[in-house]
Amino acid sequence: MSNDAMNYPAEHADYLAEVHEREAAATEGPWGVYNQGTMVEVVAGLEENSTGYRCRRQIARLDEEPIDNIRDHAGWSAEEDYEQLRHDASFAAGSRTDVPRLLGIIRETHERAQTLAGHLALVREFRIPVRSTLGGYAELTVERGPGPFDGRWAITDGATHSKKVWIRGTWYWLSAIGPDLAYRYTMAEAIAEAEEVAALEGTAQDDHVRTIRNEQGAATGGTR
């Protein structure tokens, strides 16, 4: 099956296609784990019965005393070592269903990302709220450039007329600097910086409201 047919992300398509081929060639699942007390077996089509178990195919057998050169395991008891056999066998058996499911999740996520990318290609503007703790609401916008600047974005004050754009820590009139300088960001860069600017603007609004309230309080106190 081709990479295109599997619809994996391009940067990982070859590797994921190889994983898919290995998964497809392995014995059909589900796989199970059978504990014999002295060893652990991974088998396909495990069915327990009154005399023990039967299976369609034995996949692997993990011995009670495997080669283990991990220093932290040097002092393990037989019970601890056997418990590790069970964990390893469960991981191997689970991979028969885990791998195809994970491959499906990757494909589904990639398809959603492709759909989202198609939607984003149509977007001309994002609105970034300026939140203040003392009341009031405002917005900044992240706007796609017109005509030849279609692939670039600007951070603006959202005004319909006499629009200002944010560049390097300062607001400038769009009419004064022109679109070549105004539309300077990628979409991701513009959104990230606009969020920072919105936080600064929200703090400035709070400071402004606080100053007005203090002045009003002082004036009221002076007339009493």
Side-chain angles (χ1 to χ4, degrees):
M1 185 175 291
S2 70
N3 293 350
D4 290 341
M6 295 308 301
N7 198 21
Y8 290 127
E11 63 270 31
H12 304 299
D14 290 341
Y15 166 67
L16 292 172
E18 291 174 4
V19 173
H20 172 77
E21 290 176 2
R22 288 193 290 270
E23 178 271 321
T27 299
E28 183 181 356
W31 292 356
V33 175
Y34 180 71
N35 305 299
Q36 295 203 52
T38 58
M39 64 186 67
V40 179
E41 292 186 346
V42 178
V43 298
L46 177 65
E47 295 180 1
E48 296 191 37
N49 54 42
S50 59
T51 61
Y53 82 96
R54 65 183 300 273
C55 67
R56 286 187 287 106
R57 181 178 178 83
Q58 182 188 62
I59 305 300
R61 174 176 290 176
L62 286 72
D63 294 331
E64 181 182 19
E65 297 181 356
I67 296 174
D68 189 343
N69 294 314
I70 300 175
R71 291 184 179 180
D72 292 343
H73 297 180
W76 272 12
S77 66
E79 290 76 14
E80 289 174 309
D81 195 65
Y82 188 70
E83 185 66 17
Q84 187 61 52
L85 285 182
R86 290 168 52 88
H87 290 317
D88 294 341
S90 294
F91 177 80
S95 68
R96 191 62 190 90
T97 50
D98 291 341
V99 169
R101 183 173 181 179
L102 290 171
L103 290 174
I105 290 172
I106 291 172
R107 289 194 296 271
E108 181 180 348
T109 302
H110 181 54
E111 289 166 1
R112 290 179 179 177
Q114 288 179 312
T115 299
L116 178 60
H119 293 165
L120 287 176
L122 303 176
V123 173
R124 304 297 308 179
E125 177 182 290
F126 294 93
R127 295 184 178 274
I128 312 297
V130 177
R131 297 183 177 89
S132 61
T133 59
L134 298 178
Y137 178 84
E139 291 179 332
L140 303 180
T141 63
V142 173
E143 299 180 9
R144 188 191 296 268
F149 308 102
D150 184 72
R152 293 158 59 181
W153 297 74
I155 302 167
T156 87
D157 61 357
T160 304
H161 304 288
S162 301
K163 183 173 296 185
K164 291 182 179 180
V165 296
W166 178 271
I167 299 176
R168 296 175 182 172
T170 305
W171 289 106
Y172 295 91
W173 296 107
L174 174 59
S175 58
I177 65 171
D180 187 54
L181 291 177
Y183 297 95
R184 57 189 293 115
Y185 300 97
T186 65
M187 181 179 66
E189 290 171 345
I191 291 174
E193 186 160 341
E195 290 176 342
E196 296 178 4
V197 177
L200 293 174
E201 293 291 296
T203 299
Q205 283 188 13
D206 285 343
D207 291 342
H208 181 64
V209 172
R210 191 175 292 108
T211 298
I212 294 175
R213 289 181 178 178
N214 290 340
E215 291 174 350
Q216 290 176 341
T220 302
T223 59
R224 290 180 179 177

